[in-house]
Amino acid sequence: MTPPPARRRRGADGSTAPARNLPRRGAVRRAQAVTTYGVGSLIAVEQESFIVAGIDDAETQWPRDEAPVIHEPRLARVLGVRRFRLPPASTDDSRDGVRVRRFPLWHHCPECHALDHVRRFNSPPGRNECAECSEPLVPSRFVMACEDGHITDFPYWKWLHRGRRGDGEAGFCGGRMSLRSSGRTSSLRSVVLSCSCGVPEVSMEGSFRRGALKDLNIRCEGKRPWLRNAPDVPCSEPPRTLQRGSSSVWQPVLRSALSIPPWSDTRVQSLAGHWEELRACSTPAEIEIHLKYIFDGTPPVSAGQVMDMLSAMEAEDPTGEDDGSDIDRERRYRALRDLEYERLCAGNPEDSGRHTEQFVCEPPTGDATPLSGSGLARPMLVKKLREVRALKGFTRIIDPETSSEGHEAELSLAPTDWLPAMEVHGEGVFLRLDEDRIDTWAERPAVAARVEHMRRRHQRLLTERASDPGRVPLSPATPRMVLLHTFAHVMINEWSLDSGYPAASLRERIYSGDEMAGVLIYTATSDSAGSLGGLVAQGEIDRLVPAVRSAVHRAEWCSADPLCVETGTSGVGGTNMAACHACVMLPETGCEHNNGLLDRALLVGTPEDPSIGFFSHLLSP
């Protein structure tokens, strides 16, 4: 998003200085500002560390003129906003871009080993270095965070001066702390804290234990450093020690939607901001008059198209009510998915004659007879699609898939009418399983027992991490859902060998319900490379049937067998069964459930009971 910073140069006197003064600049792509380095995340620039600022900060907010608007009315209504915006871009000549604030604030000098707040090092203006040694300061490796998203510097003084009376502030004892590494091992035991006041040295060993900080009576202070002037909030969650660069420090809560007819026509974007006025019109004639008023002439869309779009709005949310709860938001999100499934099944032919269409979906040509007996219905080739992914919030420590909305950290202090988002243009293949066959299979007692074991463990995680015990979301684990999820993973692994896309560039979208049994596998890149045609070609009948057989055969054996196939629980919280990184797990960017709720035994069976595998009939006897 911005050019990489210049390297530091060593002067004739041996000192180092940055090639430019603040503000620092680092290279982050626009898509990364939503998925990897979004609001509240930590980002390293050279030897310094920063936290990405909130979107409503008066001094550090995202520049609106550098943040183009993204239109996706369906997703905007679900998330309660009016629009989305791309992260701002910047150039060499401007200071625009995503703004950051320094964090963590505690640093240490690698030369004299001093450990203190960055302000107490008396660095020269525009530099981040020790005034005594002229060496660049190193940000703290450790931070303290809680499951509600609060984060602050690691309490070094309290950790070192454990059991001493005082207010816990650095310097209360009159000494100065230092941090050094003994170099004996690479473990935390070699990271040693000391103080000139004479207290015994203490290593960082044990600081990552779940109750380590709580045992020292260290509580979460409710700090939100990514929000400027944000007051501390009361927090009862126990704090945890984390590595500054750990993936647990920031995990995005993303919501996405496909652009489907009638919303996928680019001409619809010209109606943004006028939907409430159009919904107030009672007849097509009134809509026609209003359109002429809006566009001051011939409108780009007809009154009939507007009526279709208004009907689509009502179909997605017939009640129009939103009480703001997790359960209600999930209901609206499921309705959004239901309509996507219907459109993927119905298709949208390429010869529709509209060059402004962003969704093209049609069945493959050729005889579908080879599909009979495979367990698959006729696939659909999605030759063109657009997906919008919005950053709704983020979590720390806990997986967003097993947390509730109460644990999500906010992107701004005050409510806003927009959210950061990115759009993906690509291609995909929509696969459906035979409804009658999957219903018969799901009734097997052995199948139901395996999935029930996973569902109970997943439900326990949801209950433990729910902010409101009275509103715990239900686990989505059902025989149909776990089967579709695992099938999508093995097909992504299979197609990554033939389609020209690596597994990290493919993504799943699962449609599971009483009347849904499908999965969309599509490209997940945010540029034109996502539409090369290599994935759509895999959906042709003559390629699809051999690919399914090959994927099932690959899933029959794992290099970790027999441990993998015989395990009773695996994965985070025990939400998987026969699944590991050697067989069905994917890069986390491609999985909707963070590699949870997987079981390849439901595909191929187990050595003791091969019949529980939905595709076991495709395996050689």
Side-chain angles (χ1 to χ4, degrees):
M1 187 170 62
T2 57
R7 296 180 179 272
R8 293 177 181 265
R9 300 184 182 274
R10 186 170 294 276
D13 59 353
S15 63
T16 59
R20 63 178 72 178
N21 289 337
L22 291 175
R24 303 287 189 260
R25 301 175 68 82
V28 174
R29 297 192 303 272
R30 270 182 160 172
Q32 288 181 308
V34 172
T35 60
T36 309
Y37 299 116
V39 172
S41 65
L42 301 187
I43 181 171
V45 179
E46 286 190 313
Q47 298 183 33
E48 301 178 62
S49 176
F50 302 91
I51 191 168
V52 179
I55 60 177
D56 67 339
D57 193 318
E59 296 187 17
T60 61
Q61 66 181 352
W62 294 9
R64 300 292 181 88
D65 55 345
E66 295 290 339
V69 174
I70 297 178
H71 297 284
E72 182 50 55
R74 301 171 64 242
L75 185 60
R77 293 179 67 244
V78 169
L79 298 181
V81 296
R82 294 175 60 88
R83 62 183 67 86
F84 303 105
R85 289 185 180 274
L86 274 172
S90 64
T91 63
D92 294 335
D93 300 327
S94 72
R95 292 189 176 183
D96 290 337
V98 173
R99 306 301 176 83
V100 297
R101 307 181 67 203
R102 187 178 298 282
F103 185 85
L105 297 178
W106 276 69
H107 289 57
H108 82 276
C109 175
E111 183 68 22
C112 64
H113 306 299
L115 174 67
D116 214 330
H117 193 284
V118 66
R119 289 197 303 264
R120 300 190 183 102
F121 281 96
N122 298 319
S123 301
R127 301 183 182 181
N128 190 43
E129 61 185 37
C130 179
E132 298 178 2
C133 309
S134 299
E135 283 292 321
L137 298 175
V138 178
S140 168
R141 282 177 54 190
F142 311 105
V143 295
M144 184 177 76
C146 79
E147 293 187 0
D148 277 351
H150 307 132
I151 190 170
T152 188
D153 289 89
F154 181 80
Y156 289 102
W157 196 94
K158 292 182 179 180
W159 182 257
L160 174 58
H161 296 77
R162 59 187 67 180
R164 296 296 184 95
R165 297 182 62 184
D167 59 4
E169 292 295 330
F172 177 83
C173 59
R176 190 172 189 187
M177 291 190 296
S178 63
L179 182 147
R180 60 181 176 82
S181 175
S182 66
R184 297 177 182 175
T185 67
S186 58
S187 67
L188 291 174
R189 181 179 298 180
S190 296
V191 181
V192 180
L193 290 171
S194 60
C195 183
S196 60
C197 71
V199 295
E201 291 185 344
V202 173
S203 75
M204 291 295 294
E205 185 178 25
S207 60
F208 282 76
R209 187 168 49 85
R210 180 179 292 272
L213 300 180
K214 183 180 179 181
D215 292 344
L216 294 180
N217 202 28
I218 298 174
R219 297 182 175 84
C220 178
E221 300 175 354
K223 301 284 187 182
R224 296 173 291 175
W226 68 95
L227 302 176
R228 187 177 180 85
N229 299 326
D232 298 345
V233 296
C235 181
S236 59
E237 292 292 334
R240 295 275 300 276
T241 304
L242 298 176
Q243 289 269 14
R244 171 166 52 90
S246 168
S247 60
S248 297
V249 170
W250 188 86
Q251 298 186 71
V253 178
L254 300 173
R255 291 292 182 267
S256 64
L258 300 181
S259 295
I260 60 174
W263 308 103
S264 52
D265 192 329
T266 55
R267 294 174 296 181
V268 174
Q269 296 181 3
S270 60
L271 298 176
H274 301 283
W275 288 112
E276 294 302 322
E277 308 166 21
L278 293 170
R279 292 183 75 174
C281 299
S282 55
T283 64
E286 291 183 17
I287 293 177
E288 187 71 33
I289 295 173
H290 204 75
L291 288 175
K292 292 181 179 179
Y293 171 77
I294 292 174
F295 296 101
D296 194 20
T298 304
V301 294
S302 66
Q305 287 178 290
V306 173
M307 292 290 292
D308 292 340
M309 286 178 268
L310 293 176
S311 298
M313 281 186 180
E314 296 298 328
E316 290 182 19
D317 187 18
T319 64
E321 299 176 356
D322 181 9
D323 59 11
S325 66
D326 296 355
I327 297 176
D328 187 73
R329 291 293 171 90
E330 286 302 317
R331 175 188 64 81
R332 296 160 68 91
Y333 194 57
R334 285 196 300 269
L336 179 147
R337 288 291 190 101
D338 292 347
L339 287 184
E340 289 181 4
Y341 182 80
E342 294 176 9
R343 178 52 65 177
L344 286 166
C345 293
N348 194 42
E350 189 172 11
D351 58 0
S352 59
R354 296 193 300 270
H355 298 291
T356 56
E357 183 59 62
Q358 295 177 307
F359 181 83
V360 175
C361 177
E362 54 189 14
T365 58
D367 185 14
T369 303
L371 284 176
S372 60
S374 66
L376 293 177
R378 192 179 184 92
M380 298 293 284
L381 307 182
V382 187
K383 298 182 178 181
K384 186 188 294 186
L385 64 81
R386 172 181 179 262
E387 180 196 24
V388 173
R389 300 176 194 159
L391 178 63
K392 178 175 175 283
F394 62 89
T395 64
R396 305 195 195 277
I397 302 176
I398 56 177
D399 181 354
E401 290 298 321
T402 57
S403 66
S404 66
E405 194 169 277
H407 290 300
E408 293 179 13
E410 62 275 21
L411 306 182
S412 60
L413 272 179
T416 61
D417 64 350
W418 64 280
L419 288 174
M422 59 176 287
E423 56 183 351
V424 174
H425 296 271
E427 58 174 343
V429 178
F430 178 60
L431 302 174
R432 284 182 294 162
L433 299 185
D434 184 281
E435 289 278 352
D436 295 334
R437 185 165 189 158
I438 198 173
D439 287 340
T440 302
W441 166 85
E443 293 176 356
R444 295 175 180 265
V447 171
R450 290 184 71 91
V451 177
E452 177 61 21
H453 181 71
M454 299 167 64
R455 189 201 65 79
R456 285 199 306 266
R457 289 184 171 272
H458 190 236
Q459 190 65 53
R460 185 179 66 183
L461 273 181
L462 294 174
T463 303
E464 291 174 352
R465 295 174 175 176
S467 57
D468 184 355
R471 291 187 172 184
V472 180
L474 297 177
S475 170
T478 62
R480 179 176 296 211
M481 181 268 168
V482 177
L483 173 64
L484 287 168
H485 190 200
T486 312
F487 177 61
H489 278 226
V490 299
M491 290 305 300
I492 288 177
N493 282 327
E494 180 68 25
W495 279 342
S496 68
L497 303 175
D498 300 324
S499 67
Y501 294 106
S505 295
L506 300 178
R507 188 175 174 88
E508 68 182 5
R509 197 167 180 86
I510 301 170
Y511 299 91
S512 175
D514 294 338
E515 299 180 357
M516 296 192 297
V519 59
L520 174 65
I521 299 175
Y522 61 104
T523 54
T525 54
S526 57
D527 54 22
S528 59
S531 304
L532 300 178
L535 184 57
V536 163
Q538 307 306 312
E540 298 290 348
I541 302 297
D542 58 343
R543 290 174 179 250
L544 177 60
V545 174
V548 171
R549 290 183 178 274
S550 177
V552 172
H553 277 280
R554 289 179 187 275
E556 186 178 10
W557 291 102
C558 170
S559 60
D561 280 340
L563 294 178
C564 179
V565 74
E566 292 179 356
T567 185
T569 56
S570 66
V572 178
T575 57
N576 289 340
M577 292 197 73
C580 69
H581 285 285
C583 51
V584 300
M585 287 189 176
L586 293 176
E588 291 185 357
T589 54
C591 179
E592 285 195 306
H593 296 279
N594 284 7
N595 280 324
L597 304 179
L598 294 167
D599 183 12
R600 65 185 173 94
L602 298 184
L603 296 179
V604 299
T606 63
E608 296 78 17
D609 189 2
S611 65
I612 66 173
F614 183 82
F615 293 103
S616 59
H617 62 285
L618 299 180
L619 300 174
S620 301

